[in-house]
Amino acid sequence: MISLNLSVKNKIEPLIVTLVNILARGSHLLFFIVIGNKYGASDITDTVVFFLAPLMVLTAVVSGAAETVIMPVFHRTENADTAKYLFVYSVKKIVKFVLPLSTIIIVFFAVITGYWNFLLMIILLSVPLFGSLSTLKSGVLNASGRFRVAILGPLFGGLTAVSFLLFAPVNLYSFGLSFLLFELGKMGSLWFFKDITTGGHPLRSDLGDTIAKWGTGNARLQIISSLILALVYPVDVWFASTLEIGSITFVEYANKLWNIIPLLFVGHITITYSSLSKAESGQKKSANPINVHNIALRYGALGLGASLMVILMSKHIVGFLYGFGKMNTQQQVVLANLLNSYLLGAGLYVGALVYVRAMSAMGRVDLLLAVACLGLVCNIVCDTIFVRIIGLNGIGFATSIVYLCNSLTLAYLYEKNRSKKHFAV
């Protein structure tokens, strides 16, 4: 039995957060549904997705650091001045590194592919910068307990991008610009909301460096871990690029569709993570210890059940979403089959998320780094094997195997390193 001692309010909060998140992410999904119906799966979509894949690694790195480092740091300080310093420090680091790294990445890929389109490159360069800033703000809002507000970004971003796509001409530049507008809409909406940093004043750098020592140390490890995890998707895109035209786009569409499954549990996982973080920081007494294994098994089993239902209806779902545009029946079948191969590991992914949050709250980012390295190696090996055997579907199947390995490894490492004081078996 899960031993979280939740009040009525705390029982309702995860449900509300989940519903708001589904609404917000639904807007993001609508963005890709409009893309699929207006552009289909073509050389235009393949080109933009191919160049965006390595760029979005930067956003994923910031996202990983924000989600697993910011909340524990803030719960260890609970001071507006400290929070303000950490926030300003993080913004400066993002602005300083993300844009130059984006330039290096996009030029590198232009060199190895021989495809030089300077206008498209300029459009795409800013996507990871705004994505990183909105992710940081979302992490701070979560740390401030404003869970509902933190997940509204994709809602406004999706609506902004969809509004543009509906009236924009069908070409390479409109397609690329829609991704930039999505990130701009997401960032712009979140930065209007107050959080723990509101009203604080940045500390002197010497005091700030001392206070931030725990966070920045873990942040470095988490940045490396997030980088390795984020490389899984560009690896998938690279293998898809060796197949027929449209394969890269199918990988993108399938990823957006199967990620609906984790969204069903994000509210509970986020709030449970907050409880774990407070327990580790000493804010919350542990008269009723949190049973992490039980939570992971419960959500993983529910995720598996939801995945199986979607698998049974995948062809109908894809036909309903993409059946009134440029994607023909054969392409819809290809997408449905690829989606099914990803869904095999969706429940495992949900369970693994619980362990990731628990170990982040414990400050064991070093172990998460080890798991990330294992996952990347496993993904490359599995992609190499299964793409040769079953083609495009092998990419999704390889991802499912990676989640199986990761979830088992995380469960073992958590059990070996869990804090007896706050967590139960």
Side-chain angles (χ1 to χ4, degrees):
M1 180 176 180
I2 298 177
S3 50
L4 277 169
N5 187 17
L6 297 176
S7 65
V8 174
K9 178 182 177 182
N10 287 334
K11 288 179 180 178
I12 296 175
E13 182 70 11
L15 178 60
I16 295 175
V17 171
T18 297
L19 292 176
V20 173
N21 197 51
I22 290 174
L23 176 64
R25 297 293 177 176
S27 174
H28 190 196
L29 179 61
L30 177 62
F31 171 40
F32 281 89
I33 292 172
V34 172
I35 288 174
N37 283 285
K38 192 165 185 175
Y39 286 86
S42 62
D43 54 346
I44 290 179
T45 56
D46 277 359
T47 299
V48 173
V49 173
F50 184 81
F51 275 89
L52 268 179
L55 289 175
M56 296 311 292
V57 168
L58 298 175
T59 302
V61 167
V62 176
S63 177
E67 290 180 358
T68 58
V69 175
I70 287 179
M71 190 176 291
V73 171
F74 282 10
H75 286 159
R76 280 167 168 76
T77 59
E78 280 293 312
N79 179 282
D81 290 341
T82 304
K84 185 79 170 183
Y85 170 78
L86 293 172
F87 181 68
V88 172
Y89 174 85
S90 300
V91 169
K92 288 180 179 179
K93 289 294 183 181
I94 288 173
V95 174
K96 181 177 180 180
F97 290 106
V98 170
L99 195 57
L101 286 174
S102 299
T103 305
I104 294 172
I105 289 172
I106 203 166
V107 169
F108 173 76
F109 270 74
V111 169
I112 64 175
T113 61
Y115 183 83
W116 292 87
N117 187 320
F118 290 104
L119 180 55
L120 179 64
M121 291 166 67
I122 291 172
I123 291 172
L124 297 182
L125 272 177
S126 300
V127 173
L129 174 62
F130 295 119
S132 299
L133 290 173
S134 63
T135 297
L136 174 65
K137 181 65 175 181
S138 179
V140 174
L141 287 166
N142 276 327
S144 307
R146 306 204 67 187
F147 304 110
R148 305 180 198 180
V149 172
I151 54 183
L152 286 176
L155 173 62
F156 293 102
L159 292 176
T160 302
V162 168
S163 300
F164 170 76
L165 276 177
L166 289 175
F167 301 100
V170 178
N171 58 48
L172 187 67
Y173 307 110
S174 295
F175 186 46
L177 187 58
S178 67
F179 285 90
L180 176 58
L181 290 174
F182 172 80
E183 297 298 345
L184 279 171
K186 187 170 70 171
M187 184 196 73
S189 62
L190 290 177
W191 282 61
F192 284 105
F193 295 105
K194 295 181 179 180
D195 54 61
I196 194 175
T197 67
T198 305
H201 303 282
L203 301 175
R204 300 198 314 270
S205 59
D206 56 335
L207 292 176
D209 289 340
T210 301
I211 295 171
K213 185 178 181 181
W214 183 92
T216 54
N218 277 301
R220 293 189 188 97
L221 289 176
Q222 183 58 48
I223 285 172
I224 299 172
S225 177
S226 298
L227 173 61
I228 294 171
L229 279 174
L231 288 174
V232 170
Y233 179 67
V235 167
D236 288 347
V237 168
W238 182 267
F239 277 95
S241 70
T242 64
L243 304 173
E244 60 271 11
I245 291 176
S247 296
I248 295 175
T249 305
F250 286 133
V251 168
E252 176 74 1
Y253 292 164
N255 268 276
K256 293 299 180 291
L257 287 172
W258 83 259
N259 269 286
I260 293 175
I261 301 299
L263 291 182
L264 300 175
F265 309 94
V266 70
H268 287 79
I269 292 176
T270 300
I271 293 174
T272 300
Y273 175 41
S274 180
S275 298
L276 295 172
S277 176
K278 288 179 180 178
E280 280 294 316
S281 68
Q283 285 189 37
K284 185 175 181 179
K285 302 302 180 182
S286 52
N288 295 296
I290 299 172
N291 193 319
V292 173
H293 287 310
N294 205 339
I295 296 173
L297 287 172
R298 182 181 184 182
Y299 292 163
L302 290 172
L304 176 60
S307 299
L308 291 176
M309 287 191 290
V310 175
I311 288 174
L312 292 174
M313 300 184 294
S314 61
K315 291 184 180 180
H316 300 289
I317 292 172
V318 171
F320 174 76
L321 296 177
Y322 293 99
F324 50 92
K326 290 191 175 182
M327 193 177 295
N328 59 43
T329 304
Q330 182 180 357
Q331 289 178 320
Q332 292 172 33
V333 172
V334 171
L335 177 56
N337 291 334
L338 178 60
L339 173 61
N340 290 343
S341 66
Y342 276 108
L343 285 170
L344 293 173
L348 294 165
Y349 176 76
V350 172
L353 279 179
V354 177
Y355 288 115
V356 168
R357 297 297 183 264
M359 295 179 70
S360 297
M362 293 163 58
R364 295 311 306 268
V365 184
D366 55 328
L367 296 179
L368 295 179
L369 173 58
V371 174
C373 293
L374 173 65
L376 179 61
V377 172
C378 182
N379 186 70
I380 294 173
V381 172
C382 290
D383 273 347
T384 303
I385 295 172
F386 291 110
V387 168
R388 291 181 180 179
I389 298 174
I390 55 178
L392 181 61
N393 294 334
I395 295 176
F397 190 62
T399 300
S400 295
I401 293 177
V402 170
Y403 291 143
L404 172 62
C405 295
N406 283 357
S407 59
L408 293 176
T409 305
L410 284 166
Y412 172 78
L413 291 175
Y414 168 75
E415 177 59 27
K416 286 290 186 180
N417 295 275
R418 65 186 176 87
S419 169
K420 304 296 190 300
K421 181 179 179 180
H422 300 299
F423 303 151
V425 177

